[in-house]
Amino acid sequence: MPNISLVMIVKDESNHLNTCLESVKEYVNEIIIVDTGSTDHTIEIAKTHGAAVYEYTWTNDFAAARNFALSKSTSDWNLILDADEQVTSWDKDKVNKLLQTDRFIGKINIKSNFKQNNEERYSQIYISRLLPKGAYYSGKIHEQVMSKLPRVELPIDVFHTGYFQTDKSERNLIILKEELSKNPKNAYILYQLARQYKTMNLYQEAAHFFKESYQTADRSEEYFTDLAVNYIYTLVELKQYYPAFEIIDQMNVPLGNSPDYQFVCGIFYMNFVLSDTAKNIDFLPLIERSYLICLALGNQNEREIVLGTGSFLAAYNLGVYYEMFNQKEKAKEFYEISAAYHYLPAKSRLLTL
Protein backbone atom coordinates (compact mmCIF):
# COMPACT_ATOMS: atom_id res chain seq x y z
CA MET A 1 0.00 0.00 0.00
CA PRO A 2 1.40 3.44 -0.88
CA ASN A 3 1.91 5.89 1.96
CA ILE A 4 0.08 9.20 1.48
CA SER A 5 0.43 12.34 3.58
CA LEU A 6 -2.18 15.08 3.63
CA VAL A 7 -0.22 18.34 3.41
CA MET A 8 -2.01 21.63 4.16
CA ILE A 9 -1.33 25.28 4.88
CA VAL A 10 -4.01 26.98 6.99
CA LYS A 11 -4.93 30.16 8.85
CA ASP A 12 -8.09 30.72 10.90
CA GLU A 13 -9.94 27.77 9.39
CA SER A 14 -11.85 26.54 12.42
CA ASN A 15 -15.12 26.73 10.48
CA HIS A 16 -13.90 24.35 7.77
CA LEU A 17 -10.98 22.27 8.97
CA ASN A 18 -12.85 19.54 10.85
CA THR A 19 -15.07 18.76 7.85
CA CYS A 20 -12.04 18.64 5.57
CA LEU A 21 -10.05 16.29 7.82
CA GLU A 22 -13.02 14.01 8.46
CA SER A 23 -13.53 13.63 4.69
CA VAL A 24 -9.97 12.52 3.97
CA LYS A 25 -8.78 10.64 7.08
CA GLU A 26 -9.44 7.14 5.71
CA TYR A 27 -7.28 7.80 2.64
CA VAL A 28 -4.09 9.16 4.22
CA ASN A 29 -1.44 7.85 6.61
CA GLU A 30 -0.18 11.17 7.94
CA ILE A 31 -1.54 14.71 8.32
CA ILE A 32 0.84 17.67 8.05
CA ILE A 33 -0.64 21.06 8.98
CA VAL A 34 1.37 24.26 8.57
CA ASP A 35 -0.31 27.16 10.36
CA THR A 36 0.49 30.69 9.18
CA GLY A 37 -0.86 32.62 12.16
CA SER A 38 -4.26 31.38 13.30
CA THR A 39 -5.97 33.16 16.18
CA ASP A 40 -8.98 30.82 16.38
CA HIS A 41 -9.18 27.09 17.22
CA THR A 42 -7.56 25.84 13.99
CA ILE A 43 -4.50 24.33 15.68
CA GLU A 44 -6.55 22.57 18.35
CA ILE A 45 -8.83 21.04 15.73
CA ALA A 46 -5.84 19.83 13.73
CA LYS A 47 -4.31 18.17 16.78
CA THR A 48 -7.54 16.33 17.62
CA HIS A 49 -7.11 14.59 14.26
CA GLY A 50 -3.55 13.56 15.10
CA ALA A 51 -1.95 16.11 12.78
CA ALA A 52 1.67 17.14 13.04
CA VAL A 53 1.36 20.95 13.33
CA TYR A 54 4.11 23.40 12.36
CA GLU A 55 4.05 27.18 12.65
CA TYR A 56 5.21 29.28 9.71
CA THR A 57 5.60 33.03 9.28
CA TRP A 58 3.50 34.13 6.30
CA THR A 59 5.44 35.99 3.57
CA ASN A 60 2.71 36.48 0.93
CA ASP A 61 4.10 33.48 -0.94
CA PHE A 62 1.88 30.41 -1.29
CA ALA A 63 4.55 28.31 -3.01
CA ALA A 64 7.06 28.94 -0.21
CA ALA A 65 4.52 27.92 2.42
CA ARG A 66 3.46 24.81 0.50
CA ASN A 67 7.07 23.77 -0.07
CA PHE A 68 7.80 24.17 3.64
CA ALA A 69 4.81 21.94 4.39
CA LEU A 70 5.94 19.36 1.82
CA SER A 71 9.38 19.25 3.46
CA LYS A 72 7.75 17.95 6.66
CA SER A 73 6.10 14.96 4.97
CA THR A 74 7.53 11.48 5.53
CA SER A 75 5.46 9.76 2.82
CA ASP A 76 6.12 8.80 -0.80
CA TRP A 77 3.02 10.71 -1.95
CA ASN A 78 1.50 13.99 -0.81
CA LEU A 79 -2.11 15.09 -1.15
CA ILE A 80 -2.57 18.87 -1.20
CA LEU A 81 -5.89 20.24 0.06
CA ASP A 82 -7.16 23.57 1.35
CA ALA A 83 -9.25 23.69 4.50
CA ASP A 84 -12.39 24.73 2.59
CA GLU A 85 -12.22 21.56 0.47
CA GLN A 86 -13.58 18.11 1.23
CA VAL A 87 -13.16 14.76 -0.47
CA THR A 88 -16.49 13.51 -1.84
CA SER A 89 -15.29 10.34 -3.60
CA TRP A 90 -12.05 8.36 -3.87
CA ASP A 91 -11.63 5.03 -5.68
CA LYS A 92 -9.04 3.50 -3.36
CA ASP A 93 -8.38 0.41 -5.46
CA LYS A 94 -7.73 2.34 -8.67
CA VAL A 95 -5.70 5.06 -6.96
CA ASN A 96 -3.55 2.61 -5.00
CA LYS A 97 -2.87 0.55 -8.11
CA LEU A 98 -1.72 3.62 -10.02
CA LEU A 99 0.47 4.87 -7.16
CA GLN A 100 2.21 1.51 -6.93
CA THR A 101 3.05 1.28 -10.62
CA ASP A 102 4.56 4.62 -11.62
CA ARG A 103 5.63 8.15 -10.69
CA PHE A 104 3.46 10.96 -12.00
CA ILE A 105 1.64 14.11 -10.97
CA GLY A 106 -1.90 13.17 -9.96
CA LYS A 107 -4.76 15.48 -10.98
CA ILE A 108 -7.98 15.43 -8.98
CA ASN A 109 -11.39 16.81 -9.95
CA ILE A 110 -12.22 19.92 -7.92
CA LYS A 111 -15.81 21.12 -8.05
CA SER A 112 -16.64 24.65 -6.86
CA ASN A 113 -19.87 26.56 -6.39
CA PHE A 114 -20.19 30.21 -7.38
CA LYS A 115 -22.82 32.87 -8.04
CA GLN A 116 -23.77 33.79 -11.62
CA ASN A 117 -26.95 35.57 -12.75
CA ASN A 118 -28.16 35.41 -9.13
CA GLU A 119 -27.98 31.61 -9.25
CA GLU A 120 -25.70 29.12 -7.58
CA ARG A 121 -23.70 27.31 -10.26
CA TYR A 122 -20.87 24.80 -10.27
CA SER A 123 -17.58 24.55 -12.07
CA GLN A 124 -15.12 21.69 -12.27
CA ILE A 125 -11.45 21.44 -13.14
CA TYR A 126 -8.72 18.82 -12.78
CA ILE A 127 -5.82 20.23 -10.76
CA SER A 128 -2.45 18.70 -9.86
CA ARG A 129 -2.81 17.83 -6.18
CA LEU A 130 -1.41 14.33 -5.53
CA LEU A 131 2.35 14.67 -5.78
CA PRO A 132 5.24 12.22 -5.49
CA LYS A 133 7.95 13.02 -2.97
CA GLY A 134 10.29 15.62 -4.44
CA ALA A 135 7.73 17.59 -6.44
CA TYR A 136 7.49 21.22 -5.43
CA TYR A 137 5.63 24.47 -6.17
CA SER A 138 6.48 27.77 -7.83
CA GLY A 139 4.50 31.03 -7.84
CA LYS A 140 3.46 33.30 -5.01
CA ILE A 141 -0.24 32.85 -5.81
CA HIS A 142 -2.16 30.33 -7.94
CA GLU A 143 1.01 28.34 -7.47
CA GLN A 144 1.86 25.58 -9.94
CA VAL A 145 3.59 22.23 -9.53
CA MET A 146 7.06 22.22 -11.07
CA SER A 147 7.75 18.80 -12.56
CA LYS A 148 8.39 17.16 -15.91
CA LEU A 149 6.53 14.04 -14.80
CA PRO A 150 3.37 13.18 -16.75
CA ARG A 151 0.01 14.40 -15.46
CA VAL A 152 -2.55 11.66 -14.74
CA GLU A 153 -6.23 12.20 -13.91
CA LEU A 154 -7.27 10.24 -10.84
CA PRO A 155 -10.71 9.06 -9.66
CA ILE A 156 -10.75 11.53 -6.75
CA ASP A 157 -13.44 14.19 -6.41
CA VAL A 158 -13.22 17.20 -4.09
CA PHE A 159 -15.79 19.89 -3.33
CA HIS A 160 -14.53 23.44 -2.75
CA THR A 161 -16.64 26.15 -1.10
CA GLY A 162 -14.10 28.94 -0.64
CA TYR A 163 -14.95 31.22 -3.54
CA PHE A 164 -18.65 31.06 -2.67
CA GLN A 165 -18.24 32.01 1.00
CA THR A 166 -15.26 34.35 1.19
CA ASP A 167 -13.82 37.30 -0.70
CA LYS A 168 -10.03 37.38 -0.82
CA SER A 169 -9.87 39.67 -3.86
CA GLU A 170 -7.75 42.44 -2.34
CA ARG A 171 -5.19 39.99 -0.96
CA ASN A 172 -5.01 38.18 -4.29
CA LEU A 173 -4.63 41.39 -6.29
CA ILE A 174 -1.67 42.54 -4.20
CA ILE A 175 0.20 39.27 -4.72
CA LEU A 176 -0.71 38.98 -8.41
CA LYS A 177 0.48 42.52 -9.17
CA GLU A 178 3.74 41.80 -7.38
CA GLU A 179 4.22 38.65 -9.44
CA LEU A 180 3.36 40.50 -12.66
CA SER A 181 5.95 43.20 -11.93
CA LYS A 182 8.58 40.45 -11.98
CA ASN A 183 7.11 38.57 -14.97
CA PRO A 184 5.19 41.13 -17.08
CA LYS A 185 4.75 38.76 -20.06
CA ASN A 186 3.72 35.69 -18.07
CA ALA A 187 0.45 34.60 -19.71
CA TYR A 188 -0.71 32.59 -16.70
CA ILE A 189 -0.28 35.48 -14.25
CA LEU A 190 -2.05 37.80 -16.71
CA TYR A 191 -4.90 35.29 -16.95
CA GLN A 192 -5.26 34.98 -13.18
CA LEU A 193 -5.18 38.76 -12.79
CA ALA A 194 -7.90 39.10 -15.44
CA ARG A 195 -10.05 36.48 -13.70
CA GLN A 196 -9.63 38.29 -10.40
CA TYR A 197 -10.82 41.57 -11.88
CA LYS A 198 -13.75 39.81 -13.55
CA THR A 199 -14.74 38.29 -10.20
CA MET A 200 -14.79 41.84 -8.82
CA ASN A 201 -16.98 43.01 -11.77
CA LEU A 202 -14.17 45.32 -12.93
CA TYR A 203 -14.65 44.44 -16.57
CA GLN A 204 -12.46 47.11 -18.20
CA GLU A 205 -9.46 45.97 -16.17
CA ALA A 206 -10.34 42.33 -16.78
CA ALA A 207 -10.56 42.86 -20.55
CA HIS A 208 -7.14 44.50 -20.60
CA PHE A 209 -5.43 41.58 -18.89
CA PHE A 210 -7.43 38.92 -20.75
CA LYS A 211 -6.25 40.51 -24.00
CA GLU A 212 -2.62 40.51 -22.86
CA SER A 213 -2.86 36.87 -21.78
CA TYR A 214 -4.78 35.77 -24.88
CA GLN A 215 -2.13 37.26 -27.15
CA THR A 216 0.77 35.51 -25.41
CA ALA A 217 -0.67 32.25 -24.04
CA ASP A 218 0.25 28.86 -25.47
CA ARG A 219 -3.02 27.42 -26.76
CA SER A 220 -2.02 23.97 -25.53
CA GLU A 221 -2.10 25.18 -21.91
CA GLU A 222 -4.89 23.64 -19.84
CA TYR A 223 -6.25 27.03 -18.80
CA PHE A 224 -6.56 28.36 -22.36
CA THR A 225 -10.20 27.36 -22.92
CA ASP A 226 -11.23 29.08 -19.71
CA LEU A 227 -9.17 32.12 -20.72
CA ALA A 228 -10.84 32.47 -24.11
CA VAL A 229 -14.35 31.82 -22.76
CA ASN A 230 -14.04 34.35 -19.95
CA TYR A 231 -12.49 36.90 -22.30
CA ILE A 232 -15.60 36.65 -24.51
CA TYR A 233 -17.93 36.93 -21.48
CA THR A 234 -16.06 40.06 -20.41
CA LEU A 235 -16.31 41.68 -23.84
CA VAL A 236 -20.05 40.92 -23.90
CA GLU A 237 -20.42 42.66 -20.53
CA LEU A 238 -18.65 45.69 -22.02
CA LYS A 239 -20.74 45.50 -25.23
CA GLN A 240 -17.50 45.28 -27.20
CA TYR A 241 -18.99 42.99 -29.81
CA TYR A 242 -16.53 43.32 -32.66
CA PRO A 243 -13.43 42.35 -30.63
CA ALA A 244 -15.48 39.40 -29.38
CA PHE A 245 -16.31 38.51 -32.99
CA GLU A 246 -12.58 38.32 -33.76
CA ILE A 247 -11.96 35.86 -30.93
CA ILE A 248 -14.94 33.70 -31.90
CA ASP A 249 -13.70 33.62 -35.49
CA GLN A 250 -10.24 32.52 -34.30
CA MET A 251 -11.52 29.94 -31.80
CA ASN A 252 -14.30 28.20 -33.77
CA VAL A 253 -11.98 25.36 -34.77
CA PRO A 254 -9.59 25.08 -31.77
CA LEU A 255 -12.41 25.25 -29.19
CA GLY A 256 -15.29 23.91 -31.27
CA ASN A 257 -15.69 20.83 -29.06
CA SER A 258 -15.96 22.80 -25.82
CA PRO A 259 -19.50 23.12 -24.43
CA ASP A 260 -18.41 26.21 -22.49
CA TYR A 261 -17.16 27.87 -25.67
CA GLN A 262 -20.33 27.09 -27.62
CA PHE A 263 -22.42 28.31 -24.69
CA VAL A 264 -20.69 31.70 -24.53
CA CYS A 265 -21.12 31.94 -28.31
CA GLY A 266 -24.88 31.59 -27.76
CA ILE A 267 -24.75 34.33 -25.11
CA PHE A 268 -22.73 36.53 -27.47
CA TYR A 269 -25.06 36.15 -30.47
CA MET A 270 -28.11 36.82 -28.30
CA ASN A 271 -26.64 40.05 -26.95
CA PHE A 272 -25.32 41.07 -30.36
CA VAL A 273 -28.71 40.65 -32.02
CA LEU A 274 -30.52 42.48 -29.22
CA SER A 275 -28.04 45.38 -29.39
CA ASP A 276 -29.42 46.34 -32.82
CA THR A 277 -32.09 43.89 -33.96
CA ALA A 278 -32.76 45.48 -37.34
CA LYS A 279 -29.08 45.51 -38.25
CA ASN A 280 -28.04 42.16 -36.75
CA ILE A 281 -31.12 40.00 -37.36
CA ASP A 282 -29.23 37.70 -39.75
CA PHE A 283 -27.26 36.37 -36.79
CA LEU A 284 -30.39 35.21 -34.97
CA PRO A 285 -30.16 31.53 -36.09
CA LEU A 286 -26.66 31.31 -34.60
CA ILE A 287 -28.16 31.57 -31.11
CA GLU A 288 -30.15 28.37 -31.66
CA ARG A 289 -27.24 26.70 -33.43
CA SER A 290 -24.81 27.39 -30.58
CA TYR A 291 -27.04 25.84 -27.91
CA LEU A 292 -27.89 22.82 -30.06
CA ILE A 293 -24.16 22.20 -30.48
CA CYS A 294 -23.80 22.49 -26.69
CA LEU A 295 -26.34 19.69 -26.21
CA ALA A 296 -24.73 17.53 -28.90
CA LEU A 297 -21.33 17.92 -27.21
CA GLY A 298 -22.89 17.10 -23.85
CA ASN A 299 -24.34 13.89 -25.30
CA GLN A 300 -20.82 13.02 -26.44
CA ASN A 301 -19.58 13.55 -22.87
CA GLU A 302 -17.29 16.42 -23.83
CA ARG A 303 -16.02 17.92 -20.60
CA GLU A 304 -17.66 21.05 -19.21
CA ILE A 305 -15.98 23.69 -17.08
CA VAL A 306 -19.27 25.14 -15.86
CA LEU A 307 -21.64 22.26 -15.21
CA GLY A 308 -24.76 22.46 -17.37
CA THR A 309 -23.28 24.18 -20.42
CA GLY A 310 -23.63 20.89 -22.28
CA SER A 311 -26.99 20.00 -20.75
CA PHE A 312 -29.57 21.83 -18.62
CA LEU A 313 -28.30 25.42 -19.04
CA ALA A 314 -28.16 25.09 -22.83
CA ALA A 315 -31.55 23.37 -22.92
CA TYR A 316 -33.09 26.11 -20.78
CA ASN A 317 -31.72 28.86 -23.05
CA LEU A 318 -33.14 27.03 -26.05
CA GLY A 319 -36.48 26.91 -24.29
CA VAL A 320 -36.35 30.67 -23.79
CA TYR A 321 -35.36 31.14 -27.43
CA TYR A 322 -38.31 29.12 -28.74
CA GLU A 323 -40.76 30.66 -26.28
CA MET A 324 -39.69 34.10 -27.48
CA PHE A 325 -40.87 33.12 -30.97
CA ASN A 326 -44.06 31.53 -29.62
CA GLN A 327 -42.89 28.01 -30.53
CA LYS A 328 -44.43 26.64 -27.37
CA GLU A 329 -44.10 22.95 -28.13
CA LYS A 330 -40.39 23.28 -28.83
CA ALA A 331 -39.97 25.48 -25.78
CA LYS A 332 -41.71 22.88 -23.64
CA GLU A 333 -39.49 20.11 -25.07
CA PHE A 334 -36.28 21.85 -24.04
CA TYR A 335 -37.60 23.12 -20.72
CA GLU A 336 -38.43 19.49 -19.92
CA ILE A 337 -34.88 18.42 -20.80
CA SER A 338 -33.58 21.10 -18.47
CA ALA A 339 -36.08 20.33 -15.72
CA ALA A 340 -34.99 16.69 -15.75
CA TYR A 341 -31.73 17.94 -14.20
CA HIS A 342 -33.82 19.59 -11.44
CA TYR A 343 -33.06 23.07 -12.80
CA LEU A 344 -35.65 25.22 -11.03
CA PRO A 345 -35.97 28.04 -13.62
CA ALA A 346 -36.97 25.43 -16.22
CA LYS A 347 -39.59 23.96 -13.89
CA SER A 348 -40.98 27.45 -13.32
CA ARG A 349 -41.24 28.16 -17.06
CA LEU A 350 -43.09 24.89 -17.63
CA LEU A 351 -45.78 26.01 -15.20
CA THR A 352 -46.51 29.06 -17.37
CA LEU A 353 -46.83 27.26 -20.73
Side-chain angles (χ1 to χ4, degrees), residues 78-90:
N78 298 300
L79 174 68
I80 312 300
L81 290 181
D82 291 331
D84 54 5
E85 296 172 338
Q86 52 194 273
V87 173
T88 55
S89 69
W90 181 308

Side-chain angles (χ1 to χ4, degrees), residues 125 127 139-144 163 168-169 172-177 179-180 186-200 205-206 209-214 217 222-224 226-227 230:
I125 186 171
I127 299 180
K140 285 192 171 185
I141 190 170
H142 298 296
E143 61 280 12
Q144 295 178 289
Y163 292 127
K168 300 177 181 178
S169 299
N172 293 349
L173 276 180
I174 291 169
I175 303 174
L176 283 166
K177 288 179 178 178
E179 285 286 88
L180 188 65
N186 186 300
Y188 183 71
I189 297 172
L190 290 164
Y191 156 71
Q192 291 292 357
L193 192 53
R195 277 190 60 92
Q196 190 62 65
Y197 278 121
K198 181 174 179 288
T199 299
M200 299 167 70
E205 293 86 346
F209 289 107
F210 274 132
K211 182 178 180 180
E212 293 288 313
S213 181
Y214 180 79
E222 293 181 349
Y223 65 85
F224 185 79
D226 190 70
L227 160 61
N230 276 289

Side-chain angles (χ1 to χ4, degrees), residues 1 51 54 80 84 87 92 111 116 136 221 308 323 338-339:
M1 294 287 289
Y54 301 88
I80 312 300
D84 54 5
V87 173
K92 290 181 73 171
K111 184 178 179 181
Q116 188 178 63
Y136 66 95
E221 292 284 356
E323 188 177 3
S338 183

Side-chain angles (χ1 to χ4, degrees), residues 101-158:
T101 57
D102 205 358
R103 275 173 59 85
F104 54 85
I105 303 297
K107 299 175 70 175
I108 65 177
N109 187 22
I110 297 185
K111 184 178 179 181
S112 302
N113 56 346
F114 64 99
K115 279 287 184 69
Q116 188 178 63
N117 298 334
N118 296 316
E119 294 177 10
E120 183 176 2
R121 293 188 177 173
Y122 297 87
S123 64
Q124 63 178 358
I125 186 171
Y126 276 85
I127 299 180
S128 299
R129 290 289 195 87
L130 189 56
L131 317 180
K133 193 174 187 67
Y136 66 95
Y137 282 92
S138 178
K140 285 192 171 185
I141 190 170
H142 298 296
E143 61 280 12
Q144 295 178 289
V145 178
M146 305 305 294
S147 175
K148 294 183 179 179
L149 291 171
R151 261 65 171 177
V152 176
E153 293 183 358
L154 300 174
I156 299 173
D157 295 326
V158 168

Side-chain angles (χ1 to χ4, degrees), residues 3 45 69-71 78 124 127 132 203 299:
N3 286 325
I45 293 168
L70 285 167
S71 74
N78 298 300
Q124 63 178 358
I127 299 180
Y203 296 110
N299 288 334

